[in-house]
Amino acid sequence: MPFQSFFIGPQAKYIQVDIDSAKFGRRHHVDVPILADAKKTIIALTDAIDQQPETGWYQAALKDKQNWADWMKSFEDDDETPLRVEPVFKQINDMATDDAIFQVDVGNVTINGMRYLNTDKHQRFTTSGWYATMGYALPAAIGAQAEYPDRQVWSISGDGGFAMVMQDILTQVKYHMPIINVVLTNESLGFIEAEQDDTKQPHSGVDLIDADYGAAAAALGATGFEVHTLAELKEAFAKAKAADGPVVIDVKISDLRPIPVEQLVLDKKTQDPAAVDAFVKKYHAESLIPFRQILEDEE
Ligand SMILES: Cc1ncc(C[n+]2csc(CCOP(=O)(O)OP(=O)(O)O)c2C)c(N)n1
């Protein structure tokens, strides 16, 4: 896990399970290396431990997760424009086949893909996790479709990443690949814009000009859609189902960054009330409950 220093306490002990001993300690010092298959190890560890009683903390964590899921779901039919991402992912989830392959680009789009795609065990999700290579999704979708011609393949990109590689729609057309390419156009290198906010820098070099990527894709021989509203979104996905060959659905979305769950400002008991109000308003987080409160209610 590349960003573990943000999330895991410095005193934590590390157990690394790997079938390749050369990998031990590459990311972090290891307290217990286990040279074995990860799946078999987890099963063996699970067999060896005793069931613990369910604590208040555990129950609170379940409620917290449910609160989060309900909050995300509450935007699925939101018709605010520019569109939020939730309605887009609802359309994707509804149309995805049981063994669909999702190739997801790098940026805010990665966070949204992780949060909103309901991938189950027969579906596959990949992104450029190690190198974080923008422009990954579209060629990765070509690779997936070439390898699995009978499976449904998606590419999901931000406008920045898509614009870097969009000429390869030609390859999808040439080989008549029925890939569904979704572009989330927020006219920004959104992830970097958020990074500049977090590090208190002025925005610089992150604004992108808009283009009709649906029309551009049509000029390359694909079926293209430009989407601004919820009604257009639903119509485009309905038509995409019937399309022959590659499809590009360019959805104009708001530039609101994915709510930063690692720095929530929701709790008026422990945080500045004015900052809480501003955060809640910005992210429409009215129904998100601070974990402290869920925990107190539980204990
Ligand atoms: C090839 C490459 N260049 C630059 C970066 C740094 N980078 C990471 S995310 C990002 C912005 C992505 O913007 P966009 O594709 O529009 O997606 P969004 O974040 O808006 O969803 C950039 C520039 C990168 N990861 N890869």
PDB file of all heavy atoms in Angstrom, residues 156-170:
ATOM      1  N   ILE A 156     -12.751   4.240 -17.997  1.00  0.00           N
ATOM      2  CA  ILE A 156     -13.343   5.375 -17.285  1.00  0.00           C
ATOM      3  C   ILE A 156     -12.205   6.347 -16.979  1.00  0.00           C
ATOM      4  O   ILE A 156     -11.236   5.980 -16.298  1.00  0.00           O
ATOM      5  CB  ILE A 156     -14.041   4.910 -15.987  1.00  0.00           C
ATOM      6  CG1 ILE A 156     -15.052   3.794 -16.303  1.00  0.00           C
ATOM      7  CG2 ILE A 156     -14.734   6.100 -15.301  1.00  0.00           C
ATOM      8  CD1 ILE A 156     -15.728   3.194 -15.083  1.00  0.00           C
ATOM      9  N   SER A 157     -12.299   7.562 -17.537  1.00  0.00           N
ATOM     10  CA  SER A 157     -11.178   8.515 -17.456  1.00  0.00           C
ATOM     11  C   SER A 157     -11.663   9.902 -17.104  1.00  0.00           C
ATOM     12  O   SER A 157     -12.812  10.260 -17.379  1.00  0.00           O
ATOM     13  CB  SER A 157     -10.475   8.643 -18.817  1.00  0.00           C
ATOM     14  OG  SER A 157     -10.225   7.404 -19.400  1.00  0.00           O
ATOM     15  N   GLY A 158     -10.763  10.715 -16.560  1.00  0.00           N
ATOM     16  CA  GLY A 158     -10.995  12.154 -16.487  1.00  0.00           C
ATOM     17  C   GLY A 158     -10.700  12.767 -17.845  1.00  0.00           C
ATOM     18  O   GLY A 158     -10.131  12.110 -18.733  1.00  0.00           O
ATOM     19  N   ASP A 159     -11.087  14.035 -18.025  1.00  0.00           N
ATOM     20  CA  ASP A 159     -10.842  14.648 -19.340  1.00  0.00           C
ATOM     21  C   ASP A 159      -9.347  14.832 -19.586  1.00  0.00           C
ATOM     22  O   ASP A 159      -8.878  14.735 -20.729  1.00  0.00           O
ATOM     23  CB  ASP A 159     -11.610  15.963 -19.540  1.00  0.00           C
ATOM     24  CG  ASP A 159     -11.593  16.921 -18.359  1.00  0.00           C
ATOM     25  OD1 ASP A 159     -11.224  16.510 -17.247  1.00  0.00           O
ATOM     26  OD2 ASP A 159     -11.957  18.101 -18.558  1.00  0.00           O
ATOM     27  N   GLY A 160      -8.557  15.047 -18.525  1.00  0.00           N
ATOM     28  CA  GLY A 160      -7.114  15.188 -18.684  1.00  0.00           C
ATOM     29  C   GLY A 160      -6.493  13.911 -19.226  1.00  0.00           C
ATOM     30  O   GLY A 160      -5.797  13.916 -20.251  1.00  0.00           O
ATOM     31  N   GLY A 161      -6.776  12.796 -18.574  1.00  0.00           N
ATOM     32  CA  GLY A 161      -6.219  11.507 -18.985  1.00  0.00           C
ATOM     33  C   GLY A 161      -6.733  11.081 -20.355  1.00  0.00           C
ATOM     34  O   GLY A 161      -5.982  10.562 -21.181  1.00  0.00           O
ATOM     35  N   PHE A 162      -8.017  11.314 -20.606  1.00  0.00           N
ATOM     36  CA  PHE A 162      -8.598  10.907 -21.895  1.00  0.00           C
ATOM     37  C   PHE A 162      -7.944  11.675 -23.043  1.00  0.00           C
ATOM     38  O   PHE A 162      -7.585  11.097 -24.074  1.00  0.00           O
ATOM     39  CB  PHE A 162     -10.111  11.149 -21.889  1.00  0.00           C
ATOM     40  CG  PHE A 162     -10.805  10.662 -23.125  1.00  0.00           C
ATOM     41  CD1 PHE A 162     -11.031   9.298 -23.319  1.00  0.00           C
ATOM     42  CD2 PHE A 162     -11.228  11.544 -24.118  1.00  0.00           C
ATOM     43  CE1 PHE A 162     -11.666   8.836 -24.477  1.00  0.00           C
ATOM     44  CE2 PHE A 162     -11.853  11.088 -25.271  1.00  0.00           C
ATOM     45  CZ  PHE A 162     -12.080   9.732 -25.447  1.00  0.00           C
ATOM     46  N   ALA A 163      -7.768  12.994 -22.844  1.00  0.00           N
ATOM     47  CA  ALA A 163      -7.218  13.821 -23.925  1.00  0.00           C
ATOM     48  C   ALA A 163      -5.786  13.407 -24.279  1.00  0.00           C
ATOM     49  O   ALA A 163      -5.312  13.672 -25.379  1.00  0.00           O
ATOM     50  CB  ALA A 163      -7.267  15.301 -23.532  1.00  0.00           C
ATOM     51  N   MET A 164      -5.098  12.751 -23.351  1.00  0.00           N
ATOM     52  CA  MET A 164      -3.725  12.317 -23.632  1.00  0.00           C
ATOM     53  C   MET A 164      -3.663  11.150 -24.620  1.00  0.00           C
ATOM     54  O   MET A 164      -2.652  10.965 -25.299  1.00  0.00           O
ATOM     55  CB  MET A 164      -3.024  11.892 -22.326  1.00  0.00           C
ATOM     56  CG  MET A 164      -2.681  13.060 -21.424  1.00  0.00           C
ATOM     57  SD  MET A 164      -2.203  12.524 -19.754  1.00  0.00           S
ATOM     58  CE  MET A 164      -0.742  11.595 -20.082  1.00  0.00           C
ATOM     59  N   VAL A 165      -4.727  10.346 -24.665  1.00  0.00           N
ATOM     60  CA  VAL A 165      -4.642   9.093 -25.441  1.00  0.00           C
ATOM     61  C   VAL A 165      -5.848   8.871 -26.351  1.00  0.00           C
ATOM     62  O   VAL A 165      -6.009   7.792 -26.908  1.00  0.00           O
ATOM     63  CB  VAL A 165      -4.507   7.882 -24.481  1.00  0.00           C
ATOM     64  CG1 VAL A 165      -3.159   7.885 -23.776  1.00  0.00           C
ATOM     65  CG2 VAL A 165      -5.634   7.851 -23.467  1.00  0.00           C
ATOM     66  N   MET A 166      -6.693   9.877 -26.502  1.00  0.00           N
ATOM     67  CA  MET A 166      -7.970   9.662 -27.181  1.00  0.00           C
ATOM     68  C   MET A 166      -7.812   9.242 -28.644  1.00  0.00           C
ATOM     69  O   MET A 166      -8.711   8.656 -29.226  1.00  0.00           O
ATOM     70  CB  MET A 166      -8.854  10.907 -27.087  1.00  0.00           C
ATOM     71  CG  MET A 166      -8.225  12.146 -27.639  1.00  0.00           C
ATOM     72  SD  MET A 166      -9.252  13.603 -27.369  1.00  0.00           S
ATOM     73  CE  MET A 166     -10.375  13.472 -28.738  1.00  0.00           C
ATOM     74  N   GLN A 167      -6.644   9.504 -29.224  1.00  0.00           N
ATOM     75  CA  GLN A 167      -6.456   9.086 -30.623  1.00  0.00           C
ATOM     76  C   GLN A 167      -6.556   7.571 -30.770  1.00  0.00           C
ATOM     77  O   GLN A 167      -6.841   7.072 -31.860  1.00  0.00           O
ATOM     78  CB  GLN A 167      -5.118   9.595 -31.168  1.00  0.00           C
ATOM     79  CG  GLN A 167      -3.875   8.951 -30.577  1.00  0.00           C
ATOM     80  CD  GLN A 167      -3.466   9.551 -29.244  1.00  0.00           C
ATOM     81  OE1 GLN A 167      -4.175  10.378 -28.689  1.00  0.00           O
ATOM     82  NE2 GLN A 167      -2.320   9.147 -28.729  1.00  0.00           N
ATOM     83  N   ASP A 168      -6.367   6.847 -29.670  1.00  0.00           N
ATOM     84  CA  ASP A 168      -6.449   5.392 -29.769  1.00  0.00           C
ATOM     85  C   ASP A 168      -7.882   4.865 -29.803  1.00  0.00           C
ATOM     86  O   ASP A 168      -8.093   3.650 -29.881  1.00  0.00           O
ATOM     87  CB  ASP A 168      -5.640   4.713 -28.662  1.00  0.00           C
ATOM     88  CG  ASP A 168      -4.269   4.279 -29.196  1.00  0.00           C
ATOM     89  OD1 ASP A 168      -4.154   4.119 -30.428  1.00  0.00           O
ATOM     90  OD2 ASP A 168      -3.337   4.108 -28.402  1.00  0.00           O
ATOM     91  N   ILE A 169      -8.860   5.795 -29.780  1.00  0.00           N
ATOM     92  CA  ILE A 169     -10.217   5.370 -30.143  1.00  0.00           C
ATOM     93  C   ILE A 169     -10.171   4.765 -31.555  1.00  0.00           C
ATOM     94  O   ILE A 169     -10.892   3.823 -31.879  1.00  0.00           O
ATOM     95  CB  ILE A 169     -11.193   6.583 -30.088  1.00  0.00           C
ATOM     96  CG1 ILE A 169     -11.420   7.022 -28.636  1.00  0.00           C
ATOM     97  CG2 ILE A 169     -12.526   6.253 -30.776  1.00  0.00           C
ATOM     98  CD1 ILE A 169     -12.143   6.019 -27.766  1.00  0.00           C
ATOM     99  N   LEU A 170      -9.274   5.300 -32.373  1.00  0.00           N
ATOM    100  CA  LEU A 170      -9.086   4.763 -33.736  1.00  0.00           C
ATOM    101  C   LEU A 170      -8.789   3.271 -33.711  1.00  0.00           C
ATOM    102  O   LEU A 170      -9.261   2.511 -34.556  1.00  0.00           O
ATOM    103  CB  LEU A 170      -7.912   5.472 -34.425  1.00  0.00           C
ATOM    104  CG  LEU A 170      -8.182   6.714 -35.265  1.00  0.00           C
ATOM    105  CD1 LEU A 170      -6.876   7.203 -35.862  1.00  0.00           C
ATOM    106  CD2 LEU A 170      -9.191   6.408 -36.376  1.00  0.00           C
TER     107      LEU A 170
END
